Amino acid sequence: AIHRINNSGYDGDYISDNFIRSTRFKDGQLVTSGGTGYKALVVPAAHLMPSDVLAHLYELAKQGATIVFLENYPTDVPGYGQLEQKRQSYQRTLRQLPAVSFSETTVTSIGKGKIITGTDYARTLASCNISPEEMKTKFGLQAIRRVNDTGHHYFISALKTEDTENWIPLAVQARSAMLYNPMNGTSGKARLRQNNGRTEVFLQLASGESVILKTFADQEVSAPEYGYWTPVVQNDVKKTSPVTYSFTDKWGFRFVEASPAVAATPDSVSLGSWTEIPAKGAKNVMGAACYTTTFTLKSPADVEEWMLDLGDVRESARVRINGQAVATLIAVPYRCLVGKYLRPGVNTLEVEVTNLPANRIADMDRRDVPWRIYKDANIVNIHYKKDNYGKWEPVPSGLLGPVHLIPMQTLK
């Protein structure tokens, strides 16, 4: 149910029967005992509900709250204590609820508030007159929104295969906004506009990328603009603009850490999983390997910025250019801006990749080598049986690529 509510464009929190008992209607909102305010309370296809909770929901609606029942009204009370007495009380409240067909969305006024019923989640929730977040319903993004003293905070994730580069309508109004990248610490003022009475923010998110958006309802914040970048398009006539550099040659290779130790590794490799290199034990390694290569740029300062895109990395990477630490990348997209580290002429790129311990664990289980340093009855398989990981196939490890160095410019 919570996924269907989220996919309809709304944020929601779980609430218990006990919290409902202490919830009050105040200043146009449902307010919990903790002081958090909500615009509606949704009961999704519940079949059991304490009689006093149902009665309290009805009273909240009379006071002005919006109460939503999806798919059905609860049909009975839980437990056996004072069962008949509770059922009689429950039925008295149930008879006061609107007699409706849940196959259609129905809005019924109850006192100063309303009870909304229906089966179609999106249509029924829309009747609450609460603006859904189109970043969820139309742009395939995931988001959590929370109110603060000056506006709202959003945590937005692009959990989809496509990149996002678009003006995104917000369900709240804002005068200005800031963007914060939690993975690299960059921040800046977001591009904002008003369109048909709604605030829109320009978002540029790669597949897998996340960002924090902070909106300001009445304040015009002063800050440098957030970095919106786009690849440089080479001039088709003069062909003077730098082009993307693709690292297609072999890379220098060595294990920095390896358990178990691997002997006789090749000095150079093509990009791919190190489990496939011709070295005994490479399939079972838990550790880190350093990939090294050189490349030549005539004049890197001719463009505003350069982006290093490592492609597929299993699982994290430390990047160094010309001996300087650039970034540690732990999740997709494995990209970072590197312009200030480049110099005219020959440059050296090092990528130190650390893999997961899965291959090492599987190997030790195959050889019955004790490695668990804990005793926990809950470490079992999906059938709740004790098991080991010896059946696991080797998982990819290392720098799989492809790796590109891309000239970038500010997106206008």
Side-chain angles (χ1 to χ4, degrees):
I2 193 66
H3 290 300
R4 294 170 72 177
I5 293 170
N6 179 74
N7 293 339
S8 297
Y10 302 97
D11 256 354
D13 286 331
Y14 293 99
I15 189 169
S16 66
D17 291 336
N18 208 35
F19 252 130
I20 291 176
R21 291 184 177 102
S22 61
T23 295
R24 299 291 179 261
F25 184 75
K26 181 180 179 182
D27 299 329
Q29 286 190 312
L30 289 154
V31 182
T32 67
S33 57
T36 305
Y38 297 90
K39 296 180 179 178
L41 194 152
V42 180
V43 182
H47 292 287
L48 301 177
M49 179 175 284
S51 58
D52 66 311
V53 172
L54 183 64
H56 188 55
L57 290 177
Y58 186 75
E59 287 301 316
L60 288 172
K62 288 171 62 177
Q63 295 169 25
T66 297
I67 308 297
V68 182
F69 291 93
L70 288 165
E71 300 190 48
N72 55 261
Y73 290 133
T75 55
D76 205 351
V77 297
Y80 291 99
Q82 301 177 312
L83 180 59
E84 289 308 316
Q85 179 182 341
K86 290 178 179 177
R87 277 178 169 170
Q88 291 175 14
S89 173
Y90 185 85
Q91 289 299 322
R92 283 194 296 271
T93 304
L94 193 60
R95 285 192 291 269
Q96 297 180 71
L97 298 181
V100 297
S101 169
F102 275 82
S103 61
E104 298 179 355
T105 297
T106 305
V107 180
T108 306
S109 296
I110 303 292
K112 297 179 181 179
K114 56 188 175 182
I115 289 178
I116 304 175
T117 53
T119 300
D120 185 298
Y121 275 59
R123 187 179 304 165
T124 304
L125 294 172
S127 298
C128 296
N129 296 322
I130 301 170
S131 297
E133 291 289 356
E134 290 187 17
M135 67 175 71
K136 296 181 179 182
T137 60
K138 294 186 178 180
F139 294 92
L141 299 171
Q142 299 293 313
I144 297 172
R145 187 187 74 208
R146 293 292 182 267
V147 67
N148 59 53
D149 291 340
T150 57
H152 292 80
H153 274 100
Y154 286 80
F155 180 76
I156 305 168
S157 294
L159 304 181
K160 56 177 186 170
T161 56
E162 307 85 11
D163 294 346
T164 299
E165 186 175 290
N166 217 322
W167 286 99
I168 309 294
L170 301 179
V172 298
Q173 289 295 322
R175 184 176 176 185
S176 62
M178 290 286 293
L179 285 168
Y180 304 87
N181 188 315
M183 299 299 286
N184 60 28
T186 59
S187 63
K189 189 174 181 179
R191 295 181 184 178
L192 219 64
R193 72 180 185 186
Q194 302 300 319
N195 186 21
N196 294 324
R198 300 188 65 181
T199 299
E200 295 182 344
V201 61
F202 191 82
L203 290 184
Q204 190 181 48
L205 292 171
S207 171
E209 193 171 14
S210 299
V211 71
I212 295 169
L213 172 70
K214 183 178 182 181
T215 67
F216 297 84
D218 303 308
Q219 178 184 353
E220 186 65 51
V221 296
S222 177
E225 186 179 73
Y226 188 74
Y228 295 98
W229 300 99
T230 189
V232 171
V233 178
Q234 187 181 35
N235 187 307
D236 290 331
V237 178
K238 298 181 180 179
K239 297 188 181 299
T240 56
S241 300
V243 297
T244 295
Y245 189 100
S246 299
F247 296 84
T248 56
D249 295 334
K250 288 190 173 185
W251 293 58
F253 179 86
R254 64 183 175 87
F255 278 113
V256 179
E257 298 178 53
S259 179
V262 179
T265 58
D267 294 330
S268 62
V269 297
S270 297
L271 293 186
S273 176
W274 74 49
T275 60
E276 302 302 320
I277 66 174
K280 185 177 180 180
K283 293 182 182 296
N284 306 321
V285 166
M286 171 184 70
C290 185
Y291 297 78
T292 306
T293 190
T294 60
F295 58 98
T296 302
L297 295 176
K298 183 177 180 181
S299 182
D302 285 349
V303 293
E304 284 185 77
E305 186 56 273
W306 291 82
M307 175 181 287
L308 179 66
D309 185 343
L310 297 181
D312 192 0
V313 175
R314 305 298 179 94
E315 293 294 325
S316 63
R318 292 186 176 95
V319 178
R320 291 185 294 271
I321 293 179
N322 298 324
Q324 297 184 70
V326 175
T328 299
L329 307 175
I330 63 172
V332 292
Y334 292 96
R335 303 173 181 172
C336 55
L337 298 176
V338 299
K340 65 182 180 181
Y341 302 97
L342 302 176
R343 61 194 181 199
V346 178
N347 293 263
T348 300
L349 170 62
E350 299 173 273
V351 182
E352 184 179 309
V353 179
T354 301
N355 74 335
L356 296 176
N359 295 339
R360 177 65 166 149
I361 289 172
D363 173 61
M364 288 191 287
D365 271 355
R366 282 192 291 268
R367 295 185 291 112
D368 294 322
V369 176
W371 60 271
R372 294 167 175 81
I373 58 174
Y374 51 82
K375 293 181 180 179
D376 189 333
N378 292 320
I379 305 299
V380 293
N381 64 17
I382 60 173
H383 305 295
Y384 219 76
K385 302 291 183 182
K386 287 188 176 181
D387 202 355
N388 66 35
Y389 308 106
K391 64 177 72 67
W392 282 358
E393 294 295 325
V395 298
S397 301
L399 182 58
L400 279 60
V403 178
H404 302 291
L405 185 62
I406 307 166
M408 306 294 288
Q409 61 186 358
T410 298
L411 180 66
K412 304 299 185 182

